[in-house]
PDB file of all heavy atoms in Angstrom:
ATOM      1  N   LEU K   1     100.872 114.084  69.265  1.00 95.00           N
ATOM      2  CA  LEU K   1     100.023 114.185  70.461  1.00 95.00           C
ATOM      3  C   LEU K   1      98.729 114.766  70.029  1.00 95.00           C
ATOM      4  O   LEU K   1      97.587 114.335  70.492  1.00 95.00           O
ATOM      5  CB  LEU K   1     100.666 115.041  71.492  1.00 95.00           C
ATOM      6  CG  LEU K   1     101.898 114.521  72.227  1.00 95.00           C
ATOM      7  CD1 LEU K   1     102.631 115.622  72.971  1.00 95.00           C
ATOM      8  CD2 LEU K   1     101.489 113.335  73.109  1.00 95.00           C
ATOM      9  N   VAL K   2      98.688 115.775  69.215  1.00 96.00           N
ATOM     10  CA  VAL K   2      97.353 116.374  68.726  1.00 96.00           C
ATOM     11  C   VAL K   2      96.628 115.410  68.006  1.00 96.00           C
ATOM     12  O   VAL K   2      95.346 115.232  68.151  1.00 96.00           O
ATOM     13  CB  VAL K   2      97.746 117.567  67.877  1.00 96.00           C
ATOM     14  CG1 VAL K   2      96.424 118.104  67.157  1.00 96.00           C
ATOM     15  CG2 VAL K   2      98.280 118.732  68.714  1.00 96.00           C
ATOM     16  N   TRP K   3      97.264 114.550  67.099  1.00 96.00           N
ATOM     17  CA  TRP K   3      96.543 113.521  66.293  1.00 96.00           C
ATOM     18  C   TRP K   3      95.884 112.527  67.258  1.00 96.00           C
ATOM     19  O   TRP K   3      94.754 112.120  67.084  1.00 96.00           O
ATOM     20  CB  TRP K   3      97.527 112.835  65.383  1.00 96.00           C
ATOM     21  CG  TRP K   3      96.853 111.743  64.522  1.00 96.00           C
ATOM     22  CD1 TRP K   3      96.158 111.943  63.347  1.00 96.00           C
ATOM     23  CD2 TRP K   3      96.737 110.347  64.885  1.00 96.00           C
ATOM     24  NE1 TRP K   3      95.676 110.720  62.938  1.00 96.00           N
ATOM     25  CE2 TRP K   3      96.027 109.736  63.854  1.00 96.00           C
ATOM     26  CE3 TRP K   3      97.154 109.605  65.965  1.00 96.00           C
ATOM     27  CZ2 TRP K   3      95.712 108.361  63.811  1.00 96.00           C
ATOM     28  CZ3 TRP K   3      96.898 108.261  66.012  1.00 96.00           C
ATOM     29  CH2 TRP K   3      96.116 107.627  64.985  1.00 96.00           C
ATOM     30  N   VAL K   4      96.572 112.048  68.326  1.00 94.00           N
ATOM     31  CA  VAL K   4      96.045 111.070  69.205  1.00 94.00           C
ATOM     32  C   VAL K   4      94.871 111.588  69.933  1.00 94.00           C
ATOM     33  O   VAL K   4      93.761 110.962  70.042  1.00 94.00           O
ATOM     34  CB  VAL K   4      97.083 110.595  70.142  1.00 94.00           C
ATOM     35  CG1 VAL K   4      96.506 109.690  71.272  1.00 94.00           C
ATOM     36  CG2 VAL K   4      98.199 109.788  69.464  1.00 94.00           C
ATOM     37  N   VAL K   5      94.983 112.808  70.437  1.00 94.00           N
ATOM     38  CA  VAL K   5      93.856 113.441  71.238  1.00 94.00           C
ATOM     39  C   VAL K   5      92.644 113.706  70.359  1.00 94.00           C
ATOM     40  O   VAL K   5      91.469 113.440  70.776  1.00 94.00           O
ATOM     41  CB  VAL K   5      94.335 114.765  71.884  1.00 94.00           C
ATOM     42  CG1 VAL K   5      93.115 115.444  72.534  1.00 94.00           C
ATOM     43  CG2 VAL K   5      95.413 114.497  72.975  1.00 94.00           C
ATOM     44  N   THR K   6      92.856 114.124  69.149  1.00 95.00           N
ATOM     45  CA  THR K   6      91.694 114.359  68.262  1.00 95.00           C
ATOM     46  C   THR K   6      91.105 113.060  67.757  1.00 95.00           C
ATOM     47  O   THR K   6      89.914 113.059  67.455  1.00 95.00           O
ATOM     48  CB  THR K   6      92.073 115.245  67.064  1.00 95.00           C
ATOM     49  OG1 THR K   6      93.183 114.645  66.420  1.00 95.00           O
ATOM     50  CG2 THR K   6      92.495 116.621  67.555  1.00 95.00           C
ATOM     51  N   THR K   7      91.890 112.042  67.699  1.00 94.00           N
ATOM     52  CA  THR K   7      91.413 110.751  67.115  1.00 94.00           C
ATOM     53  C   THR K   7      90.784 109.858  68.258  1.00 94.00           C
ATOM     54  O   THR K   7      89.703 109.288  68.075  1.00 94.00           O
ATOM     55  CB  THR K   7      92.524 109.954  66.458  1.00 94.00           C
ATOM     56  OG1 THR K   7      93.127 110.713  65.420  1.00 94.00           O
ATOM     57  CG2 THR K   7      92.023 108.629  65.929  1.00 94.00           C
ATOM     58  N   HIS K   8      91.471 109.836  69.405  1.00 91.00           N
ATOM     59  CA  HIS K   8      91.049 108.901  70.470  1.00 91.00           C
ATOM     60  C   HIS K   8      90.562 109.636  71.733  1.00 91.00           C
ATOM     61  O   HIS K   8      90.018 108.969  72.628  1.00 91.00           O
ATOM     62  CB  HIS K   8      92.152 107.851  70.777  1.00 91.00           C
ATOM     63  CG  HIS K   8      92.508 107.063  69.641  1.00 91.00           C
ATOM     64  ND1 HIS K   8      91.661 106.114  69.094  1.00 91.00           N
ATOM     65  CD2 HIS K   8      93.693 107.013  68.889  1.00 91.00           C
ATOM     66  CE1 HIS K   8      92.330 105.465  68.067  1.00 91.00           C
ATOM     67  NE2 HIS K   8      93.503 105.977  67.962  1.00 91.00           N
ATOM     68  N   GLY K   9      90.950 110.877  71.897  1.00 89.00           N
ATOM     69  CA  GLY K   9      90.636 111.546  73.179  1.00 89.00           C
ATOM     70  C   GLY K   9      91.811 111.359  74.189  1.00 89.00           C
ATOM     71  O   GLY K   9      92.633 110.413  74.082  1.00 89.00           O
ATOM     72  N   LEU K  10      91.788 112.152  75.244  1.00 85.00           N
ATOM     73  CA  LEU K  10      92.785 112.033  76.284  1.00 85.00           C
ATOM     74  C   LEU K  10      92.656 110.746  77.069  1.00 85.00           C
ATOM     75  O   LEU K  10      93.635 110.304  77.698  1.00 85.00           O
ATOM     76  CB  LEU K  10      92.680 113.225  77.225  1.00 85.00           C
ATOM     77  CG  LEU K  10      93.273 114.596  76.752  1.00 85.00           C
ATOM     78  CD1 LEU K  10      92.901 115.690  77.753  1.00 85.00           C
ATOM     79  CD2 LEU K  10      94.806 114.498  76.687  1.00 85.00           C
ATOM     80  N   ASP K  11      91.443 110.221  77.116  1.00 83.00           N
ATOM     81  CA  ASP K  11      91.224 108.955  77.874  1.00 83.00           C
ATOM     82  C   ASP K  11      92.099 107.825  77.480  1.00 83.00           C
ATOM     83  O   ASP K  11      92.342 106.915  78.317  1.00 83.00           O
ATOM     84  CB  ASP K  11      89.752 108.577  77.766  1.00 83.00           C
ATOM     85  CG  ASP K  11      88.784 109.496  78.472  1.00 83.00           C
ATOM     86  OD1 ASP K  11      89.264 110.358  79.207  1.00 83.00           O
ATOM     87  OD2 ASP K  11      87.556 109.393  78.179  1.00 83.00           O
ATOM     88  N   VAL K  12      92.511 107.782  76.243  1.00 81.00           N
ATOM     89  CA  VAL K  12      93.377 106.657  75.806  1.00 81.00           C
ATOM     90  C   VAL K  12      94.659 106.567  76.585  1.00 81.00           C
ATOM     91  O   VAL K  12      95.179 105.485  76.870  1.00 81.00           O
ATOM     92  CB  VAL K  12      93.648 106.795  74.275  1.00 81.00           C
ATOM     93  CG1 VAL K  12      94.666 107.921  73.939  1.00 81.00           C
ATOM     94  CG2 VAL K  12      94.104 105.429  73.721  1.00 81.00           C
ATOM     95  N   PHE K  13      95.184 107.737  76.980  1.00 79.00           N
ATOM     96  CA  PHE K  13      96.440 107.743  77.795  1.00 79.00           C
ATOM     97  C   PHE K  13      96.174 107.313  79.183  1.00 79.00           C
ATOM     98  O   PHE K  13      96.976 106.567  79.834  1.00 79.00           O
ATOM     99  CB  PHE K  13      97.107 109.151  77.733  1.00 79.00           C
ATOM    100  CG  PHE K  13      97.643 109.563  76.437  1.00 79.00           C
ATOM    101  CD1 PHE K  13      97.100 110.567  75.671  1.00 79.00           C
ATOM    102  CD2 PHE K  13      98.757 108.857  75.876  1.00 79.00           C
ATOM    103  CE1 PHE K  13      97.545 110.970  74.457  1.00 79.00           C
ATOM    104  CE2 PHE K  13      99.257 109.255  74.653  1.00 79.00           C
ATOM    105  CZ  PHE K  13      98.616 110.272  73.942  1.00 79.00           C
ATOM    106  N   VAL K  14      95.050 107.764  79.766  1.00 75.00           N
ATOM    107  CA  VAL K  14      94.648 107.345  81.075  1.00 75.00           C
ATOM    108  C   VAL K  14      94.476 105.850  81.106  1.00 75.00           C
ATOM    109  O   VAL K  14      94.836 105.114  82.071  1.00 75.00           O
ATOM    110  CB  VAL K  14      93.403 108.100  81.546  1.00 75.00           C
ATOM    111  CG1 VAL K  14      92.925 107.590  82.902  1.00 75.00           C
ATOM    112  CG2 VAL K  14      93.652 109.606  81.506  1.00 75.00           C
ATOM    113  N   ALA K  15      93.798 105.327  80.107  1.00 71.00           N
ATOM    114  CA  ALA K  15      93.478 103.847  80.012  1.00 71.00           C
ATOM    115  C   ALA K  15      94.821 103.097  80.076  1.00 71.00           C
ATOM    116  O   ALA K  15      94.957 102.085  80.769  1.00 71.00           O
ATOM    117  CB  ALA K  15      92.765 103.548  78.666  1.00 71.00           C
ATOM    118  N   ALA K  16      95.858 103.469  79.198  1.00 70.00           N
ATOM    119  CA  ALA K  16      97.088 102.743  79.142  1.00 70.00           C
ATOM    120  C   ALA K  16      97.850 102.847  80.442  1.00 70.00           C
ATOM    121  O   ALA K  16      98.607 101.957  80.791  1.00 70.00           O
ATOM    122  CB  ALA K  16      97.926 103.231  77.993  1.00 70.00           C
ATOM    123  N   GLY K  17      97.722 103.993  81.158  1.00 66.00           N
ATOM    124  CA  GLY K  17      98.455 104.206  82.337  1.00 66.00           C
ATOM    125  C   GLY K  17      98.119 103.219  83.500  1.00 66.00           C
ATOM    126  O   GLY K  17      98.866 103.102  84.420  1.00 66.00           O
ATOM    127  N   GLY K  18      96.943 102.609  83.388  1.00 61.00           N
ATOM    128  CA  GLY K  18      96.539 101.635  84.387  1.00 61.00           C
ATOM    129  C   GLY K  18      97.006 100.281  84.228  1.00 61.00           C
ATOM    130  O   GLY K  18      96.588  99.347  84.922  1.00 61.00           O
ATOM    131  N   THR K  19      97.795 100.055  83.117  1.00 63.00           N
ATOM    132  CA  THR K  19      98.263  98.688  82.760  1.00 63.00           C
ATOM    133  C   THR K  19      99.794  98.610  83.001  1.00 63.00           C
ATOM    134  O   THR K  19     100.422  99.538  83.232  1.00 63.00           O
ATOM    135  CB  THR K  19      97.833  98.347  81.345  1.00 63.00           C
ATOM    136  OG1 THR K  19      98.569  99.194  80.382  1.00 63.00           O
ATOM    137  CG2 THR K  19      96.329  98.499  81.160  1.00 63.00           C
ATOM    138  N   HIS K  20     100.251  97.383  82.720  1.00 59.00           N
ATOM    139  CA  HIS K  20     101.704  97.087  82.811  1.00 59.00           C
ATOM    140  C   HIS K  20     102.336  97.549  84.104  1.00 59.00           C
ATOM    141  O   HIS K  20     103.520  97.994  84.141  1.00 59.00           O
ATOM    142  CB  HIS K  20     102.424  97.778  81.648  1.00 59.00           C
ATOM    143  CG  HIS K  20     102.057  97.258  80.269  1.00 59.00           C
ATOM    144  ND1 HIS K  20     100.861  97.660  79.691  1.00 59.00           N
ATOM    145  CD2 HIS K  20     102.612  96.336  79.460  1.00 59.00           C
ATOM    146  CE1 HIS K  20     100.776  97.015  78.475  1.00 59.00           C
ATOM    147  NE2 HIS K  20     101.826  96.253  78.324  1.00 59.00           N
ATOM    148  N   GLY K  21     101.632  97.432  85.236  1.00 56.00           N
ATOM    149  CA  GLY K  21     102.168  97.858  86.501  1.00 56.00           C
ATOM    150  C   GLY K  21     101.838  99.260  86.827  1.00 56.00           C
ATOM    151  O   GLY K  21     101.706  99.625  88.009  1.00 56.00           O
ATOM    152  N   GLY K  22     101.728 100.131  85.782  1.00 53.00           N
ATOM    153  CA  GLY K  22     101.368 101.554  86.057  1.00 53.00           C
ATOM    154  C   GLY K  22     102.442 102.325  86.713  1.00 53.00           C
ATOM    155  O   GLY K  22     103.457 101.809  87.168  1.00 53.00           O
ATOM    156  N   VAL K  23     102.300 103.644  86.827  1.00 58.00           N
ATOM    157  CA  VAL K  23     103.209 104.482  87.532  1.00 58.00           C
ATOM    158  C   VAL K  23     103.099 104.138  89.045  1.00 58.00           C
ATOM    159  O   VAL K  23     101.951 103.969  89.614  1.00 58.00           O
ATOM    160  CB  VAL K  23     102.850 105.922  87.351  1.00 58.00           C
ATOM    161  CG1 VAL K  23     103.751 106.863  88.137  1.00 58.00           C
ATOM    162  CG2 VAL K  23     102.998 106.275  85.829  1.00 58.00           C
ATOM    163  N   GLY K  24     104.214 103.983  89.706  1.00 61.00           N
ATOM    164  CA  GLY K  24     104.281 103.589  91.058  1.00 61.00           C
ATOM    165  C   GLY K  24     104.329 102.039  91.243  1.00 61.00           C
ATOM    166  O   GLY K  24     104.345 101.504  92.370  1.00 61.00           O
ATOM    167  N   GLY K  25     104.470 101.315  90.091  1.00 59.00           N
ATOM    168  CA  GLY K  25     104.422  99.900  90.190  1.00 59.00           C
ATOM    169  C   GLY K  25     105.698  99.276  90.808  1.00 59.00           C
ATOM    170  O   GLY K  25     105.652  98.133  91.183  1.00 59.00           O
ATOM    171  N   GLY K  26     106.706 100.106  91.020  1.00 59.00           N
ATOM    172  CA  GLY K  26     107.950  99.611  91.629  1.00 59.00           C
ATOM    173  C   GLY K  26     107.720  99.217  93.170  1.00 59.00           C
ATOM    174  O   GLY K  26     108.423  98.430  93.664  1.00 59.00           O
ATOM    175  N   VAL K  27     106.716  99.900  93.750  1.00 62.00           N
ATOM    176  CA  VAL K  27     106.408  99.509  95.120  1.00 62.00           C
ATOM    177  C   VAL K  27     106.080  98.107  95.287  1.00 62.00           C
ATOM    178  O   VAL K  27     106.535  97.395  96.253  1.00 62.00           O
ATOM    179  CB  VAL K  27     105.286 100.468  95.656  1.00 62.00           C
ATOM    180  CG1 VAL K  27     104.918 100.065  97.086  1.00 62.00           C
ATOM    181  CG2 VAL K  27     105.637 101.926  95.515  1.00 62.00           C
ATOM    182  N   ALA K  28     105.287  97.558  94.354  1.00 62.00           N
ATOM    183  CA  ALA K  28     104.860  96.141  94.489  1.00 62.00           C
ATOM    184  C   ALA K  28     106.081  95.267  94.286  1.00 62.00           C
ATOM    185  O   ALA K  28     106.165  94.248  94.936  1.00 62.00           O
ATOM    186  CB  ALA K  28     103.833  95.807  93.339  1.00 62.00           C
ATOM    187  N   THR K  29     107.037  95.672  93.479  1.00 59.00           N
ATOM    188  CA  THR K  29     108.207  94.911  93.340  1.00 59.00           C
ATOM    189  C   THR K  29     109.005  94.774  94.560  1.00 59.00           C
ATOM    190  O   THR K  29     109.562  93.715  94.965  1.00 59.00           O
ATOM    191  CB  THR K  29     109.173  95.508  92.217  1.00 59.00           C
ATOM    192  OG1 THR K  29     108.497  95.596  90.985  1.00 59.00           O
ATOM    193  CG2 THR K  29     110.427  94.683  91.955  1.00 59.00           C
TER     194      THR K  29
END
């Protein structure tokens, strides 16, 4: 986790969270 944050920043996790249906994607299902 430290390596990812220092290499790419926290934004990389936010970026991925908006794809593949995202959290809460079951509602659409």
Side-chain angles (χ1 to χ4, degrees):
L1 291 168
V2 170
W3 180 87
V4 171
V5 171
T6 55
T7 303
H8 299 293
L10 282 171
D11 290 347
V12 73
F13 292 113
V14 177
T19 64
H20 296 80
V23 175
V27 176
T29 303

